[in-house]
Short mmCIF file of all heavy atoms in Angstrom, two decimals:
data_model
loop_
_atom_site.label_atom_id
_atom_site.label_comp_id
_atom_site.label_asym_id
_atom_site.label_seq_id
_atom_site.Cartn_x
_atom_site.Cartn_y
_atom_site.Cartn_z
N SER A 1 -26.56 -69.41 -74.80
CA SER A 1 -27.36 -70.37 -74.05
C SER A 1 -26.80 -71.76 -74.31
O SER A 1 -26.47 -72.09 -75.44
CB SER A 1 -28.82 -70.30 -74.51
OG SER A 1 -29.50 -71.48 -74.16
N THR A 2 -26.71 -72.56 -73.26
CA THR A 2 -26.19 -73.92 -73.43
C THR A 2 -27.22 -74.82 -74.11
O THR A 2 -26.90 -75.92 -74.52
CB THR A 2 -25.78 -74.53 -72.08
OG1 THR A 2 -26.81 -74.30 -71.13
CG2 THR A 2 -24.49 -73.91 -71.58
N ARG A 3 -28.44 -74.32 -74.28
CA ARG A 3 -29.48 -75.11 -74.94
C ARG A 3 -29.67 -74.69 -76.39
O ARG A 3 -29.80 -75.51 -77.27
CB ARG A 3 -30.80 -74.98 -74.16
CG ARG A 3 -31.85 -75.94 -74.62
CD ARG A 3 -33.08 -75.90 -73.75
NE ARG A 3 -32.82 -76.40 -72.41
CZ ARG A 3 -33.64 -76.22 -71.39
NH1 ARG A 3 -34.77 -75.57 -71.55
NH2 ARG A 3 -33.34 -76.71 -70.21
N SER A 4 -29.70 -73.36 -76.64
CA SER A 4 -30.05 -72.89 -77.99
C SER A 4 -28.97 -72.02 -78.64
O SER A 4 -29.13 -71.60 -79.78
CB SER A 4 -31.34 -72.08 -77.92
OG SER A 4 -31.12 -70.90 -77.15
N LEU A 5 -27.91 -71.70 -77.91
CA LEU A 5 -26.84 -70.80 -78.34
C LEU A 5 -27.30 -69.34 -78.49
O LEU A 5 -26.55 -68.52 -79.00
CB LEU A 5 -26.19 -71.28 -79.65
CG LEU A 5 -25.54 -72.66 -79.59
CD1 LEU A 5 -24.91 -73.02 -80.93
CD2 LEU A 5 -24.48 -72.73 -78.50
N THR A 6 -28.50 -69.02 -78.03
CA THR A 6 -28.98 -67.64 -78.06
C THR A 6 -28.15 -66.80 -77.10
O THR A 6 -27.97 -67.20 -75.94
CB THR A 6 -30.47 -67.59 -77.61
OG1 THR A 6 -31.22 -68.47 -78.44
CG2 THR A 6 -31.02 -66.19 -77.67
N PRO A 7 -27.62 -65.64 -77.52
CA PRO A 7 -26.86 -64.79 -76.60
C PRO A 7 -27.72 -64.42 -75.38
O PRO A 7 -28.85 -63.96 -75.53
CB PRO A 7 -26.51 -63.56 -77.43
CG PRO A 7 -26.56 -64.04 -78.85
CD PRO A 7 -27.64 -65.08 -78.88
N THR A 8 -27.17 -64.65 -74.19
CA THR A 8 -27.91 -64.46 -72.95
C THR A 8 -27.03 -63.70 -71.96
O THR A 8 -25.88 -64.08 -71.72
CB THR A 8 -28.30 -65.83 -72.35
OG1 THR A 8 -28.98 -66.58 -73.36
CG2 THR A 8 -29.18 -65.68 -71.12
N THR A 9 -27.58 -62.63 -71.38
CA THR A 9 -26.84 -61.84 -70.39
C THR A 9 -27.11 -62.39 -69.00
O THR A 9 -28.27 -62.60 -68.62
CB THR A 9 -27.23 -60.35 -70.47
OG1 THR A 9 -26.96 -59.91 -71.80
CG2 THR A 9 -26.42 -59.52 -69.50
N VAL A 10 -26.04 -62.67 -68.27
CA VAL A 10 -26.17 -63.22 -66.92
C VAL A 10 -25.35 -62.38 -65.95
O VAL A 10 -24.30 -61.86 -66.30
CB VAL A 10 -25.69 -64.69 -66.87
CG1 VAL A 10 -26.59 -65.60 -67.67
CG2 VAL A 10 -24.26 -64.82 -67.35
N PRO A 11 -25.84 -62.24 -64.71
CA PRO A 11 -25.04 -61.52 -63.71
C PRO A 11 -23.88 -62.40 -63.25
O PRO A 11 -24.01 -63.62 -63.16
CB PRO A 11 -26.04 -61.28 -62.57
CG PRO A 11 -27.07 -62.35 -62.72
CD PRO A 11 -27.12 -62.68 -64.19
N VAL A 12 -22.76 -61.77 -62.97
CA VAL A 12 -21.59 -62.49 -62.46
C VAL A 12 -21.19 -61.82 -61.15
O VAL A 12 -20.88 -60.63 -61.13
CB VAL A 12 -20.41 -62.45 -63.46
CG1 VAL A 12 -19.19 -63.15 -62.89
CG2 VAL A 12 -20.81 -63.08 -64.79
N HIS A 13 -21.25 -62.59 -60.08
CA HIS A 13 -20.86 -62.10 -58.75
C HIS A 13 -19.94 -63.15 -58.15
O HIS A 13 -20.24 -64.34 -58.18
CB HIS A 13 -22.11 -61.91 -57.86
CG HIS A 13 -21.75 -61.57 -56.44
ND1 HIS A 13 -21.45 -60.30 -56.05
CD2 HIS A 13 -21.62 -62.35 -55.35
CE1 HIS A 13 -21.15 -60.31 -54.76
NE2 HIS A 13 -21.25 -61.54 -54.31
N PHE A 14 -18.83 -62.70 -57.61
CA PHE A 14 -17.86 -63.65 -57.08
C PHE A 14 -17.15 -63.01 -55.90
O PHE A 14 -16.71 -61.87 -55.98
CB PHE A 14 -16.85 -64.02 -58.18
CG PHE A 14 -15.97 -65.18 -57.83
CD1 PHE A 14 -16.45 -66.47 -57.87
CD2 PHE A 14 -14.64 -64.98 -57.49
CE1 PHE A 14 -15.63 -67.55 -57.56
CE2 PHE A 14 -13.81 -66.05 -57.19
CZ PHE A 14 -14.31 -67.34 -57.22
N GLU A 15 -17.05 -63.75 -54.80
CA GLU A 15 -16.29 -63.27 -53.64
C GLU A 15 -15.01 -64.10 -53.56
O GLU A 15 -15.03 -65.30 -53.83
CB GLU A 15 -17.12 -63.44 -52.36
CG GLU A 15 -18.35 -62.54 -52.36
CD GLU A 15 -19.18 -62.68 -51.09
OE1 GLU A 15 -18.71 -63.34 -50.13
OE2 GLU A 15 -20.27 -62.12 -51.06
N PHE A 16 -13.92 -63.44 -53.19
CA PHE A 16 -12.66 -64.17 -53.12
C PHE A 16 -11.82 -63.71 -51.94
O PHE A 16 -12.00 -62.62 -51.42
CB PHE A 16 -11.87 -64.03 -54.43
CG PHE A 16 -11.48 -62.63 -54.79
CD1 PHE A 16 -10.23 -62.13 -54.45
CD2 PHE A 16 -12.35 -61.80 -55.48
CE1 PHE A 16 -9.86 -60.82 -54.78
CE2 PHE A 16 -12.00 -60.50 -55.82
CZ PHE A 16 -10.75 -60.02 -55.48
N LYS A 17 -10.94 -64.61 -51.53
CA LYS A 17 -9.97 -64.31 -50.47
C LYS A 17 -8.66 -64.95 -50.90
O LYS A 17 -8.63 -66.14 -51.24
CB LYS A 17 -10.43 -64.89 -49.13
CG LYS A 17 -9.41 -64.69 -48.01
CD LYS A 17 -9.89 -65.33 -46.72
CE LYS A 17 -8.85 -65.18 -45.63
NZ LYS A 17 -9.25 -65.89 -44.40
N GLU A 18 -7.63 -64.15 -50.90
CA GLU A 18 -6.31 -64.65 -51.28
C GLU A 18 -5.29 -64.13 -50.29
O GLU A 18 -5.40 -63.00 -49.81
CB GLU A 18 -5.96 -64.20 -52.70
CG GLU A 18 -6.91 -64.75 -53.73
CD GLU A 18 -6.63 -64.32 -55.15
OE1 GLU A 18 -5.91 -63.33 -55.36
OE2 GLU A 18 -7.15 -64.99 -56.05
N ILE A 19 -4.32 -64.96 -49.98
CA ILE A 19 -3.27 -64.57 -49.04
C ILE A 19 -1.95 -64.58 -49.79
O ILE A 19 -1.55 -65.59 -50.38
CB ILE A 19 -3.22 -65.54 -47.85
CG1 ILE A 19 -4.58 -65.52 -47.14
CG2 ILE A 19 -2.10 -65.17 -46.90
CD1 ILE A 19 -4.84 -66.67 -46.21
N TYR A 20 -1.32 -63.43 -49.80
CA TYR A 20 -0.02 -63.28 -50.47
C TYR A 20 1.07 -63.34 -49.41
O TYR A 20 1.12 -62.51 -48.51
CB TYR A 20 0.02 -61.95 -51.24
CG TYR A 20 -0.93 -61.95 -52.42
CD1 TYR A 20 -2.28 -61.66 -52.24
CD2 TYR A 20 -0.48 -62.26 -53.70
CE1 TYR A 20 -3.16 -61.67 -53.32
CE2 TYR A 20 -1.35 -62.28 -54.78
CZ TYR A 20 -2.69 -61.98 -54.58
OH TYR A 20 -3.57 -62.00 -55.64
N LEU A 21 1.94 -64.35 -49.52
CA LEU A 21 2.96 -64.58 -48.51
C LEU A 21 4.26 -63.87 -48.87
O LEU A 21 4.77 -64.02 -49.98
CB LEU A 21 3.27 -66.07 -48.39
CG LEU A 21 2.14 -67.01 -47.98
CD1 LEU A 21 2.67 -68.43 -47.85
CD2 LEU A 21 1.50 -66.56 -46.70
N SER A 22 4.80 -63.14 -47.91
CA SER A 22 6.13 -62.55 -48.12
C SER A 22 7.20 -63.58 -47.79
O SER A 22 8.34 -63.46 -48.24
CB SER A 22 6.30 -61.29 -47.27
OG SER A 22 6.08 -61.59 -45.91
N ASP A 23 6.84 -64.60 -47.00
CA ASP A 23 7.78 -65.65 -46.62
C ASP A 23 7.06 -67.00 -46.76
O ASP A 23 6.04 -67.23 -46.11
CB ASP A 23 8.22 -65.44 -45.17
CG ASP A 23 9.22 -66.47 -44.69
OD1 ASP A 23 9.37 -67.53 -45.35
OD2 ASP A 23 9.86 -66.24 -43.65
N PRO A 24 7.57 -67.90 -47.61
CA PRO A 24 6.89 -69.19 -47.84
C PRO A 24 6.66 -69.99 -46.55
O PRO A 24 5.74 -70.78 -46.47
CB PRO A 24 7.83 -69.94 -48.78
CG PRO A 24 8.72 -68.90 -49.38
CD PRO A 24 8.78 -67.76 -48.42
N ASP A 25 7.50 -69.79 -45.53
CA ASP A 25 7.33 -70.53 -44.28
C ASP A 25 6.04 -70.16 -43.56
O ASP A 25 5.59 -70.89 -42.68
CB ASP A 25 8.53 -70.28 -43.34
CG ASP A 25 9.81 -70.89 -43.89
OD1 ASP A 25 9.71 -71.81 -44.73
OD2 ASP A 25 10.90 -70.45 -43.48
N HIS A 26 5.44 -69.03 -43.91
CA HIS A 26 4.20 -68.61 -43.26
C HIS A 26 3.00 -69.45 -43.70
O HIS A 26 1.93 -69.35 -43.11
CB HIS A 26 3.90 -67.14 -43.56
CG HIS A 26 4.89 -66.18 -42.96
ND1 HIS A 26 4.76 -64.83 -43.10
CD2 HIS A 26 6.00 -66.38 -42.20
CE1 HIS A 26 5.76 -64.22 -42.49
NE2 HIS A 26 6.53 -65.16 -41.93
N ALA A 27 3.15 -70.26 -44.72
CA ALA A 27 2.02 -71.03 -45.26
C ALA A 27 1.37 -71.90 -44.19
O ALA A 27 0.15 -72.09 -44.19
CB ALA A 27 2.48 -71.90 -46.43
N GLU A 28 2.17 -72.40 -43.26
CA GLU A 28 1.62 -73.28 -42.22
C GLU A 28 0.71 -72.52 -41.24
O GLU A 28 -0.01 -73.15 -40.47
CB GLU A 28 2.75 -73.99 -41.47
CG GLU A 28 3.70 -73.02 -40.79
CD GLU A 28 5.06 -73.62 -40.47
OE1 GLU A 28 5.52 -74.49 -41.23
OE2 GLU A 28 5.65 -73.20 -39.47
N ASP A 29 0.72 -71.19 -41.27
CA ASP A 29 -0.14 -70.39 -40.38
C ASP A 29 -1.58 -70.32 -40.86
O ASP A 29 -2.43 -69.79 -40.15
CB ASP A 29 0.40 -68.96 -40.25
CG ASP A 29 1.80 -68.92 -39.63
OD1 ASP A 29 2.17 -69.91 -38.96
OD2 ASP A 29 2.50 -67.91 -39.83
N TYR A 30 -1.86 -70.83 -42.07
CA TYR A 30 -3.19 -70.67 -42.66
C TYR A 30 -3.88 -72.01 -42.84
O TYR A 30 -3.25 -73.06 -42.79
CB TYR A 30 -3.07 -69.91 -43.99
CG TYR A 30 -2.49 -68.53 -43.80
CD1 TYR A 30 -1.14 -68.27 -44.03
CD2 TYR A 30 -3.28 -67.48 -43.35
CE1 TYR A 30 -0.61 -67.01 -43.82
CE2 TYR A 30 -2.76 -66.21 -43.15
CZ TYR A 30 -1.42 -65.98 -43.38
OH TYR A 30 -0.90 -64.74 -43.16
N GLU A 31 -5.17 -71.94 -43.09
CA GLU A 31 -5.97 -73.15 -43.30
C GLU A 31 -5.61 -73.79 -44.64
O GLU A 31 -5.16 -73.12 -45.55
CB GLU A 31 -7.47 -72.78 -43.31
CG GLU A 31 -7.97 -72.15 -42.02
CD GLU A 31 -7.94 -73.09 -40.84
OE1 GLU A 31 -8.23 -74.29 -41.02
OE2 GLU A 31 -7.60 -72.63 -39.73
N ASP A 32 -5.88 -75.08 -44.75
CA ASP A 32 -5.57 -75.80 -45.98
C ASP A 32 -6.38 -75.30 -47.17
O ASP A 32 -5.93 -75.35 -48.30
CB ASP A 32 -5.84 -77.30 -45.82
CG ASP A 32 -4.79 -77.96 -44.93
OD1 ASP A 32 -3.72 -77.37 -44.74
OD2 ASP A 32 -5.07 -79.06 -44.43
N ASP A 33 -7.61 -74.80 -46.91
CA ASP A 33 -8.44 -74.36 -48.03
C ASP A 33 -8.24 -72.88 -48.39
O ASP A 33 -8.89 -72.37 -49.28
CB ASP A 33 -9.92 -74.67 -47.77
CG ASP A 33 -10.44 -74.01 -46.50
OD1 ASP A 33 -9.62 -73.49 -45.71
OD2 ASP A 33 -11.67 -74.03 -46.29
N ASP A 34 -7.34 -72.19 -47.69
CA ASP A 34 -7.03 -70.80 -48.07
C ASP A 34 -6.21 -70.80 -49.35
O ASP A 34 -5.33 -71.66 -49.53
CB ASP A 34 -6.22 -70.10 -46.96
CG ASP A 34 -7.08 -69.70 -45.77
OD1 ASP A 34 -8.30 -69.51 -45.96
OD2 ASP A 34 -6.54 -69.57 -44.67
N LEU A 35 -6.47 -69.84 -50.21
CA LEU A 35 -5.68 -69.70 -51.43
C LEU A 35 -4.44 -68.89 -51.08
O LEU A 35 -4.52 -67.71 -50.73
CB LEU A 35 -6.49 -69.00 -52.53
CG LEU A 35 -5.74 -68.82 -53.85
CD1 LEU A 35 -5.24 -70.15 -54.39
CD2 LEU A 35 -6.63 -68.16 -54.86
N ILE A 36 -3.30 -69.55 -51.15
CA ILE A 36 -2.04 -68.94 -50.74
C ILE A 36 -1.16 -68.74 -51.97
O ILE A 36 -0.95 -69.67 -52.75
CB ILE A 36 -1.33 -69.83 -49.70
CG1 ILE A 36 -2.21 -69.92 -48.45
CG2 ILE A 36 0.04 -69.29 -49.37
CD1 ILE A 36 -1.72 -70.90 -47.42
N ILE A 37 -0.66 -67.51 -52.12
CA ILE A 37 0.15 -67.17 -53.29
C ILE A 37 1.46 -66.57 -52.80
O ILE A 37 1.46 -65.59 -52.06
CB ILE A 37 -0.60 -66.16 -54.17
CG1 ILE A 37 -1.93 -66.75 -54.62
CG2 ILE A 37 0.26 -65.74 -55.37
CD1 ILE A 37 -2.91 -65.76 -55.17
N PRO A 38 2.60 -67.16 -53.18
CA PRO A 38 3.88 -66.57 -52.79
C PRO A 38 4.08 -65.23 -53.50
O PRO A 38 3.79 -65.10 -54.68
CB PRO A 38 4.93 -67.58 -53.26
CG PRO A 38 4.18 -68.75 -53.79
CD PRO A 38 2.75 -68.38 -53.95
#
């Protein structure tokens, strides 16, 4: 806990979108906020 340091169980849920490029020139085909990984 950030207040008392008592161990606290919290749910963790996360959605993600990643684009893996086979050619770096393709980066311009995607939005600026897309996560692009060569």
Side-chain angles (χ1 to χ4, degrees):
S1 160
T2 47
R3 190 174 293 166
S4 65
L5 299 181
T6 304
T8 307
T9 302
V10 294
V12 177
H13 173 83
F14 191 76
E15 294 181 9
F16 61 95
K17 176 182 177 184
E18 298 179 342
I19 300 163
Y20 292 82
L21 300 183
S22 56
D23 181 344
D25 292 339
H26 293 182
E28 60 200 32
D29 298 339
Y30 299 98
E31 300 294 323
D32 288 342
D33 58 350
D34 284 335
L35 180 56
I36 297 173
I37 301 164

